């Protein structure tokens, strides 16, 4: 008889500790505090109900349940968002480099145009008959 009492107490304590250690989102049927109260107030029946209906059922062959697939909760947790962000950053860098090269080209063309104009102005001043003595 003492052995059965010890087994019953062990089952109740195990159920109570298991309930307390289980994450709130994994508990089925009732809320976690309701299961704790049920196990304490209706000891053997509450522990049995906890094992049958309260805790999550293992789905893998090793007896551990698989966590639900996580979806990104923040943009920086989303790989697709990070890929898009990186692609946008590279595109912005290419556009910035293109604008810089266009400015350099424009500046070189303007410099060449000024040099050509100065050369043409110098040629018109040194034409014969344009000098006055």
């Amino acid at each position: 008889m003492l052995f059965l009492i010890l087994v019953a107490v062990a089952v109740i304590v195990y159920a109570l500790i298991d309930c307390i250690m289980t994450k709130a989102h994994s508990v089925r049927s009732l809320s976690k505090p309701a299961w704790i109260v049920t196990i304490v107030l209706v000891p053997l029946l509450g522990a049995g109900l906890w094992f049958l209906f309260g805790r999550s059922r293992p789905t893998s062959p090793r007896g551990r349940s698989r966590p639900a697939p996580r979806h990104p909760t923040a943009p920086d947790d989303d790989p697709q968002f990070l890929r898009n962000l990186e692609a946008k950053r590279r595109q912005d860098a290419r556009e910035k480099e293109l604008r810089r090269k266009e400015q350099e080209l424009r500046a070189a063309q303007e410099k060449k145009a000024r040099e050509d104009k100065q050369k043409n102005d110098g040629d018109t001043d040194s034409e014969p008959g344009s000098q006055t003595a």
Side-chain angles (χ1 to χ4, degrees), residues 28-99:
R28 296 183 306 151
S29 302
L30 300 173
S31 66
K32 189 173 173 177
W35 275 116
I36 293 172
V37 169
T38 303
I39 293 169
V40 170
L41 293 181
V42 189
L44 281 176
L45 184 61
L49 291 174
W50 164 252
F51 291 123
L52 291 175
F53 302 113
R55 59 191 238 183
S56 61
R57 291 192 177 150
T59 57
S60 68
R62 293 178 293 181
R64 302 179 95 190
S65 63
R66 279 190 185 157
R70 286 189 45 193
H71 298 288
T73 56
D76 59 349
D77 291 338
D78 186 2
Q80 181 64 33
F81 175 79
L82 294 176
R83 277 192 297 274
N84 289 343
L85 191 63
E86 180 63 22
K88 185 177 183 320
R89 187 192 64 76
R90 283 193 308 262
Q91 183 179 3
D92 289 345
R94 279 192 299 257
E95 288 176 1
K96 184 178 179 183
E97 179 68 15
L98 182 61
R99 283 192 299 271

